[in-house]
Amino acid sequence: MGVVNVTPDSFSDGGRWFTTSSAVAHGLQLLADGADLLDVGGESTRPNAPRVPVDEELSRVLPVVRELVAHGATVSVDTTRAVVAQQAVDAGALLVNDVSGGLADPEMAALVARTGVAYVAMHWRGHADVMDAHDRYDDVVADVLAELRTRLAELRAAGVRDEQVVLDPGLGFAKAGASNWPLLAHLDVLQAEGFPVLVGASRKRFLGHLLAGPDGTPAPPDERDGATAAISALAAAAGAWAVRVHEARGSADAVRVAAAWRAARGGGKDGIGHDDVHDETVGGPR
Ligand code: PMM
């Protein structure tokens, strides 16, 4: 999943693809570099980012979704707002990527049920301005799993079918540093729920800290793509359904390495590279 941030302020690529034409060109480059689908977002989720008015989010996202769909791309929309999700789906998006797992907008679950669209439910504890204060866990893997199960129960109660759902541990969201590694190391716990799993580690802060120089200065976002690709390989080897990345070439190669590695171990077809990414319903139990 290649990231197309139509924002002036995302932490890793803020402002670079802010016009419709530059965002579309970037999306097409991600596809050429090996991405299977494009995640278009108009609201930055970097720590402490302010909320974007809904009209602004719509005017950023919709023209880009329309044009990428017209180019034949499989498009997801990265939004926590049901009204944005609805209009993006009307414009041809096949997947709604909601970093709040339905918590931010009480209308979201009903919209997902009504449209039948594929839906990423990510682990989340609050908007970007407050999320760092929520980085407190007894056992981060067990707590994230329990909170995702609550999201699932609410989605089901609203009529969302399991086949629509993809789960995401929400790396970096209410997880400033050390909390991310147990989640990556125990992706199997999330996988055991039986849903496809999406992993979004790309260029995140915990990688900057991991790659810090001798004086402790974190590596800048654009120097985190090698580490991102390494995580893509590990996630794919663990059977993840997709990785969400800013730079597609390295991760596409990493995923192919993992697929060959899994095949040599006698692993199944599930996981990244499985062809259902182009189906309208991508989620659900396996
Ligand atoms: N991370 C970001 C944005 N959207 N969506 C999902 N499903 N998972 C993620 O980990 C995720 C996401 C933040 O990264 P960005 O600001 O560079 O897009």
Side-chain angles (χ1 to χ4, degrees):
M1 173 189 272
V3 179
V4 180
N5 280 328
V6 197
T7 56
D9 61 343
S10 277
F11 75 95
S12 61
D13 54 0
R16 290 187 66 194
W17 328 113
F18 191 45
T19 64
T20 299
S21 56
S22 62
V24 170
H26 181 56
L28 297 178
Q29 184 61 50
L30 287 165
L31 292 178
D33 287 344
D36 290 313
L37 79 157
L38 299 175
D39 189 38
V40 179
E43 182 170 44
S44 170
T45 50
R46 79 178 155 73
N48 300 313
R51 300 250 24 217
V52 171
V54 62
D55 288 350
E56 174 69 20
E57 189 182 350
L58 282 166
S59 68
R60 291 179 186 181
V61 160
L62 291 181
V64 178
V65 170
R66 263 189 225 108
E67 274 204 46
L68 288 172
V69 168
H71 277 91
T74 304
V75 172
S76 81
V77 61
D78 187 343
T79 186
T80 60
R81 289 177 166 132
V83 61
V84 177
Q86 175 73 66
Q87 294 194 35
V89 168
D90 291 345
L94 294 183
L95 193 147
V96 173
N97 174 26
D98 176 2
V99 299
S100 83
L103 276 171
D105 186 340
E107 305 298 321
M108 184 63 98
L111 169 118
V112 174
R114 192 169 65 242
T115 57
V117 73
Y119 180 69
V120 176
M122 199 193 82
H123 178 261
W124 184 89
R125 286 180 163 183
H127 285 289
D129 53 343
V130 296
M131 67 180 179
D132 279 357
H134 293 292
D135 181 19
R136 276 194 293 271
Y137 301 89
D138 291 328
D139 171 336
V140 67
V141 177
D143 293 355
V144 165
L145 182 61
E147 288 168 39
L148 281 175
R149 282 181 177 159
T150 304
R151 303 315 316 138
L152 269 173
E154 291 196 11
L155 290 165
R156 285 173 175 146
V160 176
R161 290 172 295 114
D162 283 1
E163 290 71 31
Q164 293 174 254
V165 176
V166 174
L167 296 180
D168 184 328
L171 301 178
F173 289 81
K175 300 163 200 85
S179 306
N180 295 287
W181 291 106
L183 289 166
L184 276 170
H186 295 289
L187 280 180
D188 55 318
V189 172
L190 201 49
Q191 305 257 101
E193 291 298 285
F195 291 82
V197 171
L198 171 65
V199 174
S202 187
R203 296 184 181 172
K204 285 191 174 161
R205 281 178 294 171
F206 72 103
L207 297 180
H209 292 304
L210 179 77
L211 304 176
D215 65 350
T217 308
D222 62 356
E223 289 176 20
R224 302 174 191 168
D225 285 334
T228 299
I231 288 182
S232 294
L234 292 168
W241 169 73
V243 285
R244 180 182 179 282
V245 296
H246 298 88
E247 190 277 318
R249 177 69 59 85
S251 282
D253 288 352
V255 161
R256 288 168 81 171
V257 169
W261 183 86
R262 274 169 67 91
R265 281 170 63 97
K269 276 184 72 191
D270 284 354
I272 298 169
H274 188 56
D275 218 5
D276 63 4
V277 71
H278 298 295
D279 293 354
E280 202 145 327
T281 33
V282 294
R286 290 261 168 88

